[in-house]
Amino acid sequence: MLRFLHIKSLKSNIMLCFSVIFILVLCIIGVIGYSFFSKVLTNEILSNTEKIIDQTSSNIDLYFGQIKNLTQITASNYNIINALKEDENGQDSNLLFYNRRISDVLQQTKKFNLRIKDLIIIRRDGTCYNYSNSCVKEDYNFFEQDWFPKFDDKFAKVCFTGIHQQDYYVLDTNCEGSVASTVIPIMDYMDISRQFFAMLLCNLNINDVKELTKGAELGKTGFFLIIDKNNELVYNPTYYVFDEDFKENILTNLNSDSGQFISKHNKNHVLIVHKTSKITGWKIISIIPMKEILNPLNNIKSFTFILIIICVIIVIIVSILISRRITKPISLLIDKMVDIGRGDFDIKLYDDSTIEMEMLSSNIDIMIERINRLNRDIYSYKMKSKEAEIKALQSQINPHFLYNTLQSVKALALFKKTNDISKIVTLIGNMLRYAIYNSDELVNISSEIKHLSDYIKIQNYRYSNKFEYEVLAEIKLDQYKTLKLILQPIVENSIIHGLQENIKGLITINIFLHDNNVHLRIDDNGKGMSSEELQRIRSYINDTSQKDKSNSIGLKNVNERIKLKYGELYGVEIDSKLDIGTRVTIIIPQINS
């Protein structure tokens, strides 16, 4: 992985490994912690919701239980049973009396429980016999209504109907709208035949159910629904509207007395918890949007994420500090090694911060000391070898030019030109004193030009003023230094090998500065060289492995002396064109006097 990321620094590797390991641990702990807390919180929400449902169901059962008991008591009232018996026997004399007694019982029952909206006694033919509120239509048959329950046994069971319209009153605005009802047979329990005489219909204010659910909070947007046995809504908040698909989904999952499931409504998921009332058999359903349930989880997720980010930052900072502490001795060792690589062998690497660093630095110090000793020995050997090589080159140059000069003196002696011989001998003395007795390797350029001038004067005696020379200097010659005896061999080559026999020769010496180097350029108008010969000469003077050739030994010696003294960037450059002339440029570093 580290190779893939191209991380080669030990510090970066330590920091990366430490950070990755701890970040992975933090992420794992964060995910596990979030999963645990989310599960605990979800279970807690479900538990609280179930408790609220149980409490609400208990309140509703208590409410409908009171209604049930009251309707059972009313249905078994002696006055009502006697009135119904008299009505069946056709004794009209007592009907008015019993009707008045029945009305009193119904009114007292309403007063006993104000949640009862009205009470109606229904004959066995389905028409109204008596009522506690507005006038009921005479031809209205309750038994023919879909909402009215069917009784198949002879037991006085209270039956709860679903929501239905109060369309059986003649006219009463107080009775408009839908109601839920309880129905119970009216029968004489002392009679073994258990024959019922009528039905008692008790209408309830369904809005009272809302009052019963008010204290039960299902978050900010949760609410209750109540569905009867026929899967019709008994209670639904007026502000909430849901589609048929959602209703169908709820009804499909209500196949047990209690339970919970998640459904989708308007692209939002909701949690549905339901329980069946023991009294009415209705389903009490709580609906809570999942967003509201998950909101605390989102807070936990945000808190966990922020905590992980903070921990990651702390881990990165700690990893940087730890990696820096571990790699600091190594970094210091590297810096010292860089200084040693630059030539400073006096630095000591010893570091006792750790046992490992102490052993490593001690051994490296020992190796550096040995290398330093070897370098001194090699340097001493090279310096002695270089000195010997330079002296050999100088000794090679001096006899060469002396031999040529003596040949010129010999020629003058043959012609008995004593005055010229005296001048030549004086010039030779000056040149020998400059070459032999001047022990300095570096001289002023002006001294080198004076030595060259003496040499050219001797050559003019030999060649009877057959050539001229001039010095063009852009710098002050006595302010810069050069190697001794580097111009004379070049000019000597120009005179002997370059100048044509039929044309008067001209040697021009230009001295100038370029790129912080001193350039000494010697031009002649001699016969020049072909490109093949020029390439051969260039190859010869720059190749130390080739043997000496007499016609170019001066150039080669000068080039090698300069390179030995100043390095490979300096030396002699040669250029020539056939029948035009030759240019030799000597490049040396700028050294002030």
Side-chain angles (χ1 to χ4, degrees):
M1 177 181 178
L2 298 179
R3 289 182 179 178
F4 176 75
L5 294 175
H6 301 289
I7 297 176
K8 296 182 180 180
S9 168
L10 178 62
K11 180 179 178 180
S12 301
N13 286 335
I14 293 173
M15 185 178 68
L16 179 63
C17 293
F18 185 84
S19 300
V20 168
I21 291 172
F22 276 86
I23 289 171
L24 285 176
V25 172
L26 285 173
C27 290
I28 292 171
I29 293 174
V31 171
I32 294 175
Y34 172 74
S35 300
F36 173 76
F37 284 114
S38 63
K39 186 175 181 180
V40 170
L41 185 60
T42 302
N43 291 335
E44 185 69 22
I45 292 172
L46 290 175
S47 176
N48 291 336
T49 304
E50 289 176 353
K51 289 179 181 178
I52 292 171
I53 288 287
D54 289 339
Q55 183 62 43
T56 304
S57 178
S58 298
N59 293 338
I60 293 175
D61 283 351
L62 179 63
Y63 166 69
F64 285 111
Q66 293 175 352
I67 298 297
K68 177 181 178 181
N69 292 335
L70 191 58
T71 53
Q72 285 177 334
I73 293 171
T74 304
S76 60
N77 186 276
Y78 179 74
N79 291 323
I80 293 176
I81 293 172
N82 285 337
L84 291 172
K85 286 181 178 181
E86 291 295 328
D87 182 66
E88 286 188 352
N89 294 331
Q91 297 179 4
D92 296 334
S93 57
N94 297 324
L95 286 179
L96 184 61
F97 170 76
Y98 282 111
N99 279 333
R100 190 174 297 167
R101 296 288 298 270
I102 289 174
S103 297
D104 291 341
V105 172
L106 296 180
Q107 291 298 329
Q108 286 182 4
T109 300
K110 283 184 62 177
K111 291 179 181 179
F112 186 79
N113 193 323
L114 299 178
R115 290 180 175 137
I116 297 175
K117 190 174 184 180
D118 56 354
L119 295 163
I120 300 174
I121 297 177
I122 303 169
R123 293 188 182 94
R124 280 193 281 188
D125 61 359
T127 59
C128 176
Y129 174 72
N130 205 329
Y131 44 86
S132 64
N133 203 353
S134 299
C135 181
V136 178
K137 298 176 182 178
E138 292 183 358
D139 58 346
Y140 189 89
N141 194 319
F142 287 87
F143 292 167
E144 293 177 354
Q145 307 304 315
D146 294 336
W147 55 267
F148 199 88
K150 305 294 187 293
F151 291 88
D152 298 328
D153 51 33
K154 295 182 178 181
F155 297 95
K157 290 172 58 178
V158 176
C159 182
F160 288 85
T161 69
I163 296 294
H164 60 88
Q165 294 291 327
Q166 292 179 282
D167 55 353
Y168 36 82
Y169 288 107
V170 175
L171 182 63
D172 191 343
T173 55
N174 293 328
C175 297
E176 292 179 353
S178 301
V179 293
S181 306
T182 61
V183 180
I184 185 173
I186 299 175
M187 61 179 63
D188 186 0
Y189 293 97
M190 302 303 294
D191 187 358
I192 299 176
S193 64
R194 296 291 179 92
Q195 181 180 7
F196 78 92
F197 301 100
M199 293 287 183
L200 176 62
L201 174 66
C202 177
N203 290 324
L204 307 175
N205 286 318
I206 196 64
N207 289 331
D208 291 337
V209 177
K210 185 176 181 180
E211 297 297 324
L212 295 174
T213 61
K214 246 182 189 178
E217 294 185 359
L218 295 175
K220 295 181 180 179
T221 58
F223 58 93
F224 284 97
L225 293 177
I226 299 178
I227 297 177
D228 62 16
K229 293 180 179 180
N230 297 322
N231 293 329
E232 296 294 334
L233 280 171
V234 175
Y235 169 72
N236 174 30
T238 56
Y239 60 85
Y240 190 83
V241 178
F242 53 87
D243 53 34
E244 292 297 325
D245 292 337
F246 180 58
K247 179 180 178 181
E248 185 66 25
N249 190 17
I250 292 177
L251 297 178
T252 303
N253 289 278
L254 295 178
N255 50 10
S256 59
D257 291 340
S258 61
Q260 61 187 29
F261 58 92
I262 295 176
S263 183
K264 191 173 183 181
H265 179 58
N266 293 334
K267 299 181 180 180
N268 296 317
H269 289 86
V270 293
L271 174 66
I272 297 175
V273 182
H274 64 91
K275 187 173 183 180
T276 304
S277 171
K278 296 178 181 179
I279 302 296
T280 62
W282 296 347
K283 299 286 185 179
I284 303 169
I285 302 168
S286 67
I287 299 177
I288 309 173
M290 289 300 295
K291 286 183 179 179
E292 191 168 331
I293 295 175
L294 297 176
N295 189 45
L297 296 180
N298 292 331
N299 294 334
I300 293 176
K301 184 188 292 184
S302 301
F303 175 77
T304 304
F305 180 75
I306 293 171
L307 184 62
I308 289 176
I309 293 296
I310 293 173
C311 291
V312 166
I313 294 173
I314 293 173
V315 165
I316 291 174
I317 294 173
V318 171
S319 65
I320 292 173
L321 295 176
I322 292 175
S323 63
R324 183 177 296 174
R325 179 178 177 83
I326 293 173
T327 59
K328 185 177 180 180
I330 299 175
S331 299
L332 293 175
L333 181 63
I334 292 172
D335 293 339
K336 292 179 180 179
M337 292 294 291
V338 170
D339 292 335
I340 291 171
R342 291 171 180 168
D344 189 359
F345 289 96
D346 295 329
I347 296 176
K348 295 297 180 183
L349 303 179
Y350 183 75
D351 185 353
D352 59 352
S353 58
T354 61
I355 296 175
E356 292 80 6
M357 285 301 301
E358 184 176 12
M359 294 177 62
L360 179 63
S361 59
S362 299
N363 290 326
I364 294 177
D365 274 338
I366 294 171
M367 291 191 333
I368 290 173
E369 181 61 32
R370 290 176 181 173
I371 293 171
N372 197 12
R373 197 181 311 111
L374 277 171
N375 283 340
R376 286 196 296 267
D377 294 342
I378 292 170
Y379 181 75
S380 177
Y381 171 78
K382 282 187 175 181
M383 288 302 295
K384 290 178 180 178
S385 176
K386 195 171 184 180
E387 269 181 39
E389 192 170 358
I390 291 172
K391 286 180 180 179
L393 288 170
Q394 286 180 340
S395 66
Q396 195 174 16
I397 293 170
N398 293 335
H400 183 68
F401 108 87
L402 185 59
Y403 172 78
N404 290 334
T405 304
L406 290 176
Q407 289 294 324
S408 298
V409 174
K410 179 182 176 181
L412 291 173
L414 291 174
F415 292 99
K416 297 180 181 181
K417 294 182 179 182
T418 56
N419 189 33
D420 291 339
I421 291 172
S422 174
K423 291 180 181 179
I424 290 175
V425 170
T426 301
L427 293 171
I428 291 173
N430 292 337
M431 292 181 66
L432 289 174
R433 183 169 54 252
Y434 176 79
I436 297 173
Y437 296 106
N438 189 352
S439 60
D440 293 334
E441 186 182 6
L442 295 178
V443 295
N444 290 336
I445 296 178
S446 59
S447 298
E448 182 71 5
I449 293 296
K450 174 65 173 60
H451 172 74
L452 179 64
S453 177
D454 291 339
Y455 171 77
I456 290 175
K457 287 177 182 179
I458 292 173
Q459 294 297 344
N460 267 325
Y461 277 106
R462 181 182 176 188
Y463 293 103
S464 302
N465 294 316
K466 196 173 182 179
F467 61 88
E468 296 177 355
Y469 84 98
E470 61 179 350
V471 177
L472 305 175
E474 297 180 6
I475 60 175
K476 293 183 179 181
L477 301 181
D478 58 350
Q479 291 184 357
Y480 297 93
K481 287 186 175 293
T482 180
L483 278 174
K484 191 169 59 174
L485 299 173
I486 63 172
L487 288 176
Q488 181 262 330
I490 308 300
V491 174
E492 183 178 0
N493 271 351
S494 295
I495 293 171
I496 296 173
H497 305 295
L499 296 179
Q500 299 178 8
E501 297 179 358
N502 299 323
I503 300 175
K504 190 170 183 177
L506 174 63
I507 298 174
T508 304
I509 301 171
N510 284 281
I511 304 171
F512 56 91
L513 293 178
H514 181 67
D515 292 338
N516 294 324
N517 293 324
V518 176
H519 287 236
L520 299 101
R521 192 173 68 200
I522 301 97
D523 292 297
D524 67 61
N525 62 344
K527 63 180 181 180
M529 291 178 279
S530 64
S531 59
E532 293 79 7
E533 187 178 2
L534 177 63
Q535 185 62 37
R536 179 179 58 80
I537 295 297
R538 284 175 177 173
S539 176
Y540 166 67
I541 66 174
N542 288 298
D543 189 352
T544 57
S545 64
Q546 291 192 34
K547 295 182 179 180
D548 294 341
K549 297 181 180 180
S550 58
N551 61 347
S552 302
I553 188 171
L555 285 171
K556 185 175 180 68
N557 286 339
V558 170
N559 186 53
E560 289 184 358
R561 285 181 63 203
I562 293 172
K563 290 187 180 295
L564 283 170
K565 181 65 177 177
Y566 301 117
E568 293 297 323
L569 295 178
Y570 305 95
V572 175
E573 295 179 355
I574 183 170
D575 192 15
S576 182
K577 291 185 178 180
L578 192 62
D579 299 328
I580 294 178
T582 301
R583 171 177 289 179
V584 178
T585 304
I586 298 172
I587 303 173
I588 58 176
Q590 177 183 334
I591 301 175
N592 297 89
S593 299

